[in-house]
Amino acid sequence: LGQRRRMKRKYKERIRNAESLSVGGSFADTEAHLCLYAHDIDLQAISSCLGVEPTEGVRRGDVIGRRRPAKIGLWCLQAPKDLSFEAKLQHLLRVTTKKRTTWAALAASHSIQLRCSVYLHSWTEGVDLPYDLVAEIGRRRWQFGLAIYGAEGDEVLEALLSKKR
């Protein structure tokens, strides 16, 4: 308890001495994966249809490491980590086929999910996605999933103060 009080005093002192603090901004830490799921998945056929190899591929029943056998097949393409959130989505759109007939056929036999994660470093971060990007995700029949992991307590304060340094 004493250490926590000392930390709060230290943060209060740093805030008093700061000329200004900034909060928010665009997402700094994100992931984006395009995933196709099916019980009887044909990884090679999907790669051929989409024009790109997956970063991860698993057939139902496959055992990877110490995990249990996979209950469902997975074809997954991860966007490069060093891109902004919007650029990650654009990358996944750019490297996969634009053919709507291909996406319609895949959607008939697979669950297609654009799975995104955001790791907050402040209590307010955001992004504005252009209409054409969102529309293209819809045209390709990608279900959009977003998991947001929040920063807590001292992490938020430290992030605020670190921008001042």
Side-chain angles (χ1 to χ4, degrees), residues 53-154:
E53 291 295 318
T55 49
E56 180 182 3
V58 177
R59 291 177 183 82
R60 184 174 61 170
D62 283 357
V63 177
I64 311 278
R66 294 182 176 181
R67 297 185 208 166
R68 296 189 308 251
K71 293 182 180 180
I72 193 163
L74 164 69
W75 184 100
C76 183
L77 179 62
Q78 181 176 4
K81 292 180 185 253
D82 61 338
L83 300 176
S84 70
F85 183 66
E86 181 182 335
K88 287 175 183 176
L89 303 181
Q90 290 170 338
H91 171 82
L92 293 172
L93 289 168
R94 187 177 57 257
V95 300
T96 57
T97 186
K98 293 170 182 52
K99 294 181 185 175
R100 290 190 191 148
T101 54
T102 300
W103 288 110
L106 286 169
S109 55
H110 298 76
S111 173
I112 305 172
Q113 299 178 17
L114 177 56
R115 303 179 60 91
C116 301
S117 299
V118 175
Y119 305 94
L120 298 177
H121 294 267
S122 180
W123 61 80
T124 175
E125 294 176 32
V127 66
D128 294 317
L129 297 175
Y131 163 80
D132 57 337
L133 186 143
V134 175
E136 185 60 25
I137 289 169
R139 279 192 288 274
R140 293 190 189 192
R141 302 179 185 212
W142 297 1
Q143 179 182 349
F144 184 79
L146 181 62
I148 302 172
Y149 302 90
E152 296 178 0
D154 294 339

Side-chain angles (χ1 to χ4, degrees), residues 15-82:
I15 289 170
R16 264 188 248 124
N17 295 333
E19 292 175 23
S20 66
L21 296 174
S22 60
V23 294
S26 51
F27 298 144
D29 192 3
T30 62
E31 292 182 6
H33 300 82
L34 175 61
C35 301
L36 283 78
Y37 298 92
H39 286 288
D40 296 320
I41 201 160
D42 185 339
L43 301 172
Q44 194 59 37
I46 293 171
S47 296
S48 179
C49 286
L50 298 184
V52 64
E53 291 295 318
T55 49
E56 180 182 3
V58 177
R59 291 177 183 82
R60 184 174 61 170
D62 283 357
V63 177
I64 311 278
R66 294 182 176 181
R67 297 185 208 166
R68 296 189 308 251
K71 293 182 180 180
I72 193 163
L74 164 69
W75 184 100
C76 183
L77 179 62
Q78 181 176 4
K81 292 180 185 253
D82 61 338

